[in-house]
Amino acid sequence: MASVRFVAIGDSFTEGVGDELPDGTVRGWADLAAQGWADAIGEPIQYANLAIRGKLVQPIVDEQLEPALALKPTHLSFNGGGNDMLRPRTGIERIVDVFDHVLRRCDEEGVQLIVLSGANPSAGLPLGRVVQTRGDRLSHAVEARLRSRPDVTTAYNWFDRELAGGDFWSVDRLHMNARGHHRVAARVLESVGATAPAEWWHLPEIPEIQRLKGTAYYREHVAPWVRRRLTGTSSGDGRAAKFEGGWTKLTPLPERDQASDVPPTA
């Protein structure tokens, strides 16, 4: 059995939305970190990713946590609350209470918990100041709640000012592009004591793509989000997790192949 069995749960941040490969599938920081982990330790690891885009924090836990623990992982990563905080009536303390539940279950199962805060998209979003304020509150609350648990592995991204810059975000301004996902993956690897390729922190800029502005941006990205809120639907409805079938074995790549290509339209 592999010495590292890493399962990730969460929403679009963990699924990898924004880091699309040429065949249209999404990759993201969790996939990158898992492969990077195998490369760093020089032995195969087992990896699963149960995250599904659009999920609120409670459904993440209700639908993903126990199936993830049933795999008997050594490490479980958790991030949630990003979709909740876009809803103005959601209480920050209620979100943080869910983190407590995940921590308790990982303690009970003897699983090392890796807690992430999401990256900060507020600079590019409508009502960005509101998102910034709520994100600050949520991130501070999670950090305060976990301060007495130094044994919990943390990879906090919200206050990374460089990551908040536009060069790390996809055209929808809400999800990171390949540069952003690589930077988060590097932080996760560092948090577990592994070494990420140095270039992951500062990948070359992705070739310029057409950024939607004004009414085009609102029509393409904001209007569909509003329609989902009005109809009570989610971008994740009907979607299955990328690794729903269980573990995938990742073997170390040859050193020459460990640098990742960045898709030109990420």
Side-chain angles (χ1 to χ4, degrees):
M1 183 178 293
S3 62
V4 173
R5 301 184 301 280
F6 167 43
V7 61
I9 65 173
D11 55 23
S12 60
F13 173 72
T14 301
E15 184 185 347
V17 174
D19 182 17
E20 280 77 24
L21 297 175
D23 65 0
T25 60
V26 297
R27 178 177 52 184
W29 68 262
D31 292 16
L32 290 163
Q35 183 62 60
W37 204 341
D39 296 341
I41 64 177
E43 63 180 56
I45 75 166
Q46 299 280 17
Y47 170 58
N49 188 332
L50 306 187
I52 296 178
R53 66 192 67 181
K55 293 294 184 181
L56 300 173
V57 69
Q58 192 63 57
I60 290 172
V61 173
D62 291 345
E63 299 166 13
Q64 299 174 26
L65 178 59
E66 294 306 321
L69 293 174
L71 294 173
K72 302 299 181 183
T74 58
H75 297 75
L76 180 147
S77 72
F78 172 61
N79 167 266
N83 291 305
D84 299 74
M85 75 179 191
L86 294 176
R87 291 161 165 77
R89 290 186 292 275
T90 300
I92 298 299
E93 285 301 312
R94 186 187 66 77
I95 298 174
V96 179
D97 287 343
V98 178
F99 281 73
D100 281 341
H101 175 75
V102 175
L103 176 56
R104 178 178 61 80
R105 288 293 295 122
C106 285
D107 283 346
E108 291 170 350
E109 298 295 327
V111 175
Q112 178 64 49
L113 176 61
I114 305 169
V115 171
L116 292 88
S117 60
N120 183 354
S122 62
L125 293 179
L127 300 177
R129 288 188 179 181
V130 175
V131 175
Q132 172 81 52
T133 298
R134 292 180 65 80
D136 287 351
R137 288 179 55 207
L138 174 59
S139 297
H140 283 307
V142 170
E143 292 181 26
R145 192 69 65 93
L146 294 177
R147 197 166 291 139
S148 63
R149 291 293 305 266
D151 56 313
V152 174
T153 300
T154 56
Y156 296 139
N157 299 284
W158 183 263
F159 296 109
D160 181 344
R161 292 187 178 182
E162 184 170 355
L163 184 58
D167 291 340
F168 291 90
W169 295 85
S170 66
V171 291
D172 70 4
R173 309 182 196 174
L174 185 62
H175 299 100
M176 298 179 300
N177 61 21
R179 294 186 82 218
H181 279 283
H182 275 81
R183 188 172 175 88
V184 170
R187 178 167 286 118
V188 170
L189 286 176
E190 185 178 82
S191 75
V192 298
T195 301
E199 63 269 21
W200 284 16
W201 290 98
H202 302 281
L203 286 183
E205 292 188 17
I206 296 171
E208 185 62 30
I209 55 179
Q210 182 63 43
R211 298 279 177 176
L212 296 176
K213 298 179 181 179
T215 56
Y217 170 74
Y218 279 83
R219 182 174 60 251
E220 186 74 18
H221 297 292
V222 178
W225 184 87
V226 172
R227 282 196 295 272
R228 289 194 296 271
R229 299 292 75 74
L230 293 175
T231 58
T233 59
S234 166
S235 58
D237 288 348
R239 298 189 68 91
K242 291 190 292 185
F243 293 82
E244 191 177 34
W247 292 121
T248 292
K249 183 179 180 180
L250 300 179
T251 58
L253 296 173
E255 188 171 346
R256 67 179 181 275
D257 296 329
Q258 290 181 15
S260 294
D261 293 329
V262 179
T265 58

